[in-house]
Amino acid sequence: MAEPRRRLARDPLGLRKALADRLLLGLVAAMALLAALALAGRDGADRLAQRWREGAQAAVTVQVPQPDPARMAKALAVLRDLPEVAAAEAVDPARMAELLRPWLGGAHNVPLPGVIEIHLANLSADPVLIGDRVAAEVPGAVTEAHGVWVAHLVALAGAVQGVALAVVALVAGVAAAVVGVAVRAGLSARRDAVLVLHGLGATDSEVAGRFAARVAWLAGLGAAIGTVAAVPALAGLVRMAGPLAGETSWTSLPWFDLAVLPVAAAAVGWLTTQGTVRRWLRRLP
């Protein structure tokens, strides 16, 4: 008899039976897994955008028509003297022909311009001004920057990040709805116990606090399980995206975001339960 009395003292509302542990744990774990994947996608898109900005945006090509050795040497000398240029190298004509083979086939009589690939020392440098200086010394030289493509890629990465955050917000909303339904079911199941405890002088805050503490614990535990389950999948995705993002180690995972998920789930559960229980109590006769 002593053991049941101790359990009753610790759980006077019988919440361990009223709130289904496995169901709530499973649902929150599944939603936490989805949120972890979305947060990792947002972080990965941000890394890719940064890599594109630092790589593609810093690459500029200069095309030199009639690429005789004197004109190519003159263009290279002008470019290497500019403080805005970190490096300038002529592209091998054989490599150019190989790159253009899918479009030109085996045609060898098509005159190809000489191409010089340069990397900017400062991303804020204006490629137009660089092109003007080269064209002044080497007539006909054309400078092409990749800023337009970079802008499209960065916009795409920003859209992916926005969708990922929208998914996280949607998951949080669904989690709040699930918690609300579970709490209302628990309140209905323990209605008599709640009325007795309330009649003995327990305040709304005390009753709501007991429910909220139980739900916050279950939500946090479920989110921790879902987050841990997501880590192997995220590690596999990191290895697959390594050539694009430049990171293949576990350290590149968004560990801070993953660590915050259980805390955020517990907070959502606690706040939702507090509001649900207080509204339910206010409707009591």
Side-chain angles (χ1 to χ4, degrees):
M1 293 294 292
E3 182 62 24
R5 288 179 181 176
R6 284 197 294 270
R7 291 181 179 177
L8 183 62
R10 290 196 300 266
D11 188 20
L13 295 175
L15 298 182
R16 289 184 176 85
K17 294 182 179 179
L19 295 174
D21 297 14
R22 295 181 181 178
L23 178 61
L24 193 58
L25 279 174
L27 290 174
V28 174
M31 287 181 284
L33 189 149
L34 293 176
L37 294 176
L39 288 173
R42 181 199 63 80
D43 183 76
D46 182 65
R47 289 175 182 270
L48 285 175
Q50 183 65 26
R51 184 174 177 84
W52 288 333
R53 281 193 293 265
E54 294 176 353
Q57 191 172 8
V60 180
T61 56
V62 176
Q63 298 179 14
V64 181
Q66 301 173 356
D68 57 74
R71 286 169 60 83
M72 291 294 291
K74 182 64 174 177
L76 284 169
V78 171
L79 289 169
R80 289 169 179 170
D81 286 340
L82 296 177
E84 300 92 341
V85 177
E89 297 294 337
V91 179
D92 185 8
R95 179 189 169 200
M96 282 295 303
E98 187 65 26
L99 291 174
L100 294 175
R101 185 181 299 277
W103 291 271
L104 300 180
H108 300 286
N109 57 347
V110 178
L112 298 178
V115 177
I116 300 174
E117 187 178 61
I118 67 176
H119 289 270
L120 302 179
N122 187 353
L123 293 180
S124 61
D126 188 355
V128 176
L129 296 179
I130 295 175
D132 291 342
R133 294 179 188 176
V134 177
E137 299 292 336
V138 183
V142 178
T143 302
E144 292 187 359
H146 306 293
V148 174
W149 291 104
V150 173
H152 286 304
L153 293 173
V154 171
L156 174 62
V160 171
Q161 293 181 58
V163 171
L165 292 177
V167 169
V168 173
L170 179 62
V171 168
V174 173
V178 168
V179 168
V181 171
V183 170
R184 283 191 291 272
L187 286 168
S188 298
R190 308 304 298 171
R191 177 184 176 87
D192 293 340
V194 171
L195 290 176
V196 170
L197 193 63
H198 204 258
L200 291 175
T203 63
D204 291 357
S205 298
E206 291 172 343
V207 175
R210 288 184 179 274
F211 273 89
R214 176 68 175 165
V215 172
W217 162 251
L218 293 176
L221 180 60
I225 295 172
T227 302
V228 171
V231 169
L234 295 179
L237 291 175
V238 166
R239 283 194 293 270
M240 292 176 62
L244 296 175
E247 282 284 353
T248 58
S249 65
W250 286 63
T251 57
S252 61
L253 291 177
W255 290 112
F256 177 78
D257 293 343
L258 296 179
V260 168
L261 269 180
V263 179
V268 169
W270 191 88
L271 292 172
T272 303
T273 304
Q274 285 279 347
T276 301
V277 174
R278 288 173 184 271
R279 286 193 298 271
W280 188 85
L281 290 174
R282 282 197 293 267
R283 296 194 187 101
L284 291 178

